[in-house]
Amino acid sequence: MTTTDHSKAQLESEGIALPGERSGLLSRATRHAAFGIDNHEIPTGREEEWRFASLRQLAPLFEARETHVEESVVSYEVESPEGLVVDSLGEKEAPRHTAILPEDRIAAAAAELTANALYLKAPANTEASEPARVEVSGHDASIASHGEIVLHTEANARATYVINHTGSALYAQNVEMVLDEGSEMTVIAIHDWADDAVHVATHVAKIGKDARLKHIVVTLGGKAVRVNSTATFAGPGGEVEQDGLYFSDEGQHLEHRLFVDHAAPKCTSNVLYKGALQGRGARSVWVGDVLIRKEAEGTETYEMNRNLVLTEGARADSVPNLEIETGEIEGAGHAAATGRFDDEQLFYLMARGISEIEARRLVVRGFFQELIQRIEVPEVRDYLTEQIEIELQRSMN
């Protein structure tokens, strides 16, 4: 198990790059980004952003040049509370494509090949009484399809959006989150695909002055699922909390990449992702990038990833990265840990008459409980608790 941590007083002594020290190094801010499929090459796997990816399984999405909009492939069902706007946006209708600038070929394809994006908006100075729910259902994993969703909270509005993915699909998706000044948005994206599904999602948030985003990603199903999440502060005083929970089974490849771009002063970010793995060939990848630009004075940020390996043959990769261009910050740190069951915990529980199987269940439940309790939608909490029990039945029996 490895863990690293940094605070304001430790930055220079611990070797974090400070202003003037990054000559010759590639900054996360310089990564190529552009609209248009042809502006992006098909990756070879040698690129930093693709070195952990399951390129063989993702190949059909790299090669796709057309999409299928028939509901027989991927369908949406929207349940929205009173007061929220449900609409669609064409390619050049704002706020679509005001937050995202595609960094890879799949995101560019989703932007180019989706004629109309689903648009959910909380009007200024309103508060949604219930979450808006989007059910994304896949019906065919042999045909590449694409989609875009735009979530918007206007000034001083508050809303929660739940996006649930189920069924079989070969699906590229962009989700844009636009938070105007003083607004609050919660987004819960659940990926509980069927075993044959391949899904690449790009989530991009533009966070305005004094706005607050809570972004939660849950990944349980699918053959290969990759979620890229980017949060950019467009004004001072913003906050973002990014939580993630994933459970990888035999043969599953689950990848989560995050980028928090502190491009404005006095903003706060906090990242916590936890995953469990079981079964031969179970694989998880977590990469967390945080960039604190020179103008982002007063930044406070922390990111953590923890992985629990339940069986032999499973592998978790965890890479936290912290890039700092100014020393005038409140605090910055990161931590990553991967380990197996704690023998002392098991011994303690078994010494009190608890069977080994039940003791292992208790350890895993406790591992995820912190994250589940941070979710403010009761039905989602209940669902995740139930799904973790189902996953544990597979490994413990």
Side-chain angles (χ1 to χ4, degrees), residues 167 177 299:
M177 297 160 279
T299 288

Side-chain angles (χ1 to χ4, degrees), residues 248-320:
S248 180
D249 288 317
E250 181 174 351
Q252 274 189 307
H253 187 113
L254 308 182
E255 182 168 353
H256 301 87
R257 286 179 170 263
L258 292 84
F259 175 37
V260 182
D261 188 354
H262 281 270
K266 297 182 180 179
C267 294
T268 301
S269 64
N270 194 291
V271 175
L272 175 61
Y273 268 61
K274 289 187 175 184
L277 301 89
Q278 63 185 6
R280 187 162 300 278
R283 181 80 185 276
S284 73
V285 177
W286 181 90
V287 178
D289 293 325
V290 175
L291 168 63
I292 304 174
R293 298 179 187 264
K294 62 181 179 180
E295 61 268 31
E297 297 181 354
T299 288
E300 185 169 357
T301 179
Y302 193 83
E303 59 174 351
M304 174 182 285
N305 175 231
R306 295 184 61 197
N307 297 287
L308 185 59
V309 179
L310 304 180
T311 64
E312 297 291 337
R315 174 181 169 182
D317 289 293
S318 182
V319 185

